[in-house]
Amino acid sequence: MVVGGGIVGLAVAWELSQRGQDVTVLEKENHWAGHQTGHNSNVVHAGLYYRPGSFKARMSVAGNRSIVDFARQYGVPVQVCGKLVVATRESEIPALDTLAERAERNGVPAKRISPAEARAHEPEVACVAALRVESTGIIDFPAVCTALVRLLDEADADLRLGTPALGIRAARGGGVEVATGSEVLRADALVNCAGLHADRVAELAGLTPSARIVPFRGEYYELKPDRRHLVRGLIYPVPDPALPFLGVHLTRMLDGSVHAGPNAVLALRREGYRWSDVSIKDLADVARFSGAWRLARKYAYPTGIEEVLRSFSKKRFAASLAGLVPAVTEDDLVRHGSGVRAQALRPDGSLVDDFLIESARDQVHVLNAPSPAATSALEIAKHVADRVSA
């Protein structure tokens, strides 16, 4: 039984069904891919940023290939267009060189290029140096989920929308029992892919997870149609190596629109896509968690304050983008939407920087799977299926 109907949960279910398992998928919403999968940037990541040897590094490099192959096989829109990571100041060049070294170690096709070469790809970009990453792409991740649901349906999987997991216990004689509110279901094994609620599902199952989910909202703008020509592909800044966020960037989508963002602010509920989305319970959980206070002391000033100010100021948001493409102005931007990142945080205040997967008897829990989890979904699924079978 798989809890969670985002791309990771559906990929796990499909992998298990291919291995001959009878699979049930429980999704609390009335549609698939309702949260992280349906609100992300739709970028197929190359594996550039991640620590060599980590789950993220290995699974994103392999996932870059497998998700593109899956899309082409099953008619999902995808385009491998490459991207630029640009240093806009001399002080960023050492970090850019570190990224280039990491790309080489991870097996990512990336090349350091000059400002003139960067402008051959993106005529409006401003930089003192750049990294060209050829294998980055754009895909329709919700359409990947639609294809997975179709394949699961053809494999006679039991797919249940509007069915939350409300209680989980070990079954007598082995396996698990899951209460949904209307019935109690039994399975030989449970896989928790609940994303924003993964830690809570783990607690329902009797585990004490080693990390807690703290939700961060990322807000997007979009370039007006008559300004889309300013961006041909994907333009990213050099990220802060101390943070798991990649910084505000520009992305040309499959339909030709250009998205700008995201920033990163604390969401006021687990599924808080607007400042007005507030949950007292979710805020109390954050307030009671020592790791959240330790994180705040480390990053609230100036990083956190700047992100909040940028959330409320289109002028500040535009200024961040103008660092990459000087022609972008405040008047060029319109609000597009938001996503919420399920970021796992340890009690010492450290951000979990890799995929975190923990096991118990007859249970596997995917406790940290933010970006690049969508890119890596088919590879995460293989790893989880191996654990289920162990």
Side-chain angles (χ1 to χ4, degrees):
M1 183 173 298
V2 177
V3 177
I7 192 169
V8 173
L10 292 170
V12 167
W14 186 55
E15 179 67 25
L16 288 168
S17 72
Q18 287 187 299
R19 298 187 184 195
Q21 301 290 339
D22 294 325
V23 179
T24 297
V25 182
L26 307 184
E27 167 54 48
K28 70 181 181 67
E29 303 294 351
N30 290 316
H31 57 283
W32 306 107
H35 292 292
Q36 289 186 105
T37 305
H39 294 82
N40 70 23
S41 62
N42 283 317
V43 173
V44 180
H45 289 284
L48 170 71
Y49 301 99
Y50 316 116
R51 177 173 48 82
S54 65
F55 279 137
K56 282 188 175 182
R58 291 184 283 113
M59 290 183 178
S60 60
V61 171
N64 177 279
R65 295 187 292 267
S66 62
I67 203 74
V68 170
D69 289 346
F70 178 93
R72 289 171 174 166
Q73 181 176 354
Y74 294 105
V76 174
V78 65
Q79 180 183 0
V80 180
C81 52
K83 78 173 181 181
L84 291 181
V85 181
V86 299
T88 57
R89 301 184 300 272
E90 294 288 339
S91 61
E92 294 177 338
I93 290 180
L96 187 72
D97 289 340
T98 297
L99 279 182
E101 293 168 5
R102 182 162 284 189
E104 184 176 3
R105 292 181 65 187
N106 288 346
V108 175
K111 179 183 177 182
R112 171 78 180 271
I113 61 176
S114 69
E117 290 171 314
R119 287 190 291 273
H121 292 284
E122 295 284 355
E124 299 292 335
V125 78
C127 65
V128 295
L131 196 64
R132 175 67 182 173
V133 186
E134 295 296 342
S135 56
T136 301
I138 295 293
I139 197 170
D140 186 340
F141 281 126
V144 171
C145 291
T146 298
L148 286 168
V149 168
R150 184 177 69 250
L151 291 166
L152 284 164
D153 192 51
E154 291 170 357
D156 294 324
D158 185 2
L159 304 175
R160 302 190 180 210
L161 292 170
T163 308
L166 302 177
I168 303 169
R169 68 185 179 191
R172 185 173 299 175
V176 294
E177 292 179 337
V178 180
T180 67
S182 60
E183 60 184 316
V184 176
L185 305 173
R186 182 165 179 165
D188 296 322
L190 174 84
V191 180
N192 168 16
C193 299
L196 286 159
H197 301 278
D199 56 341
R200 291 174 174 172
V201 170
E203 288 185 331
L204 277 181
L207 270 71
T208 301
S210 63
R212 303 288 307 188
I213 295 297
V214 176
F216 286 90
R217 184 174 65 255
E219 299 158 327
Y220 288 88
Y221 281 88
E222 184 177 356
L223 292 188
K224 293 178 179 178
D226 63 345
R227 301 294 281 172
R228 292 175 179 174
H229 66 276
L230 296 175
V231 179
R232 290 181 174 179
L234 287 76
I235 306 173
Y236 280 62
V238 177
D240 182 343
L243 295 170
F245 311 108
L246 299 183
V248 171
H249 48 271
L250 292 151
T251 306
R252 177 173 283 274
M253 310 304 289
L254 289 165
D255 63 0
S257 62
V258 177
H259 293 180
N263 62 343
V265 296
L266 180 68
L268 304 183
R269 61 178 293 179
R270 291 280 177 114
E271 295 159 6
Y273 297 101
R274 299 172 297 274
W275 281 108
S276 58
D277 293 336
V278 179
S279 166
I280 299 302
K281 178 183 184 300
D282 291 350
L283 286 174
D285 282 351
V286 172
R288 286 193 295 263
F289 181 45
S290 61
W293 291 102
R294 292 186 174 102
L295 180 74
R297 284 195 292 270
K298 187 174 182 180
Y299 292 114
Y301 182 83
T303 303
I305 296 297
E306 175 58 32
E307 292 293 325
V308 171
L309 291 173
R310 188 160 51 187
S311 174
F312 287 100
S313 171
K314 185 164 72 168
K315 183 177 181 179
R316 283 179 177 268
F317 211 107
S320 298
L321 298 169
L324 305 173
V325 178
V328 173
T329 69
E330 181 181 357
D331 291 339
D332 297 333
L333 302 178
V334 293
R335 285 276 186 183
H336 176 71
S338 300
V340 180
R341 177 189 180 104
Q343 176 62 53
L345 182 65
R346 299 191 188 279
D348 65 1
S350 62
L351 295 160
V352 179
D353 66 353
D354 203 358
F355 299 143
L356 177 62
I357 302 170
E358 297 184 352
S359 300
R361 182 181 176 185
D362 301 325
Q363 301 175 26
V364 179
H365 298 267
V366 182
L367 296 174
N368 190 57
S371 179
T375 297
S376 309
L378 300 176
E379 307 307 314
I380 295 172
K382 293 173 187 175
H383 178 83
V384 169
D386 288 343
R387 286 204 182 190
V388 170
S389 302

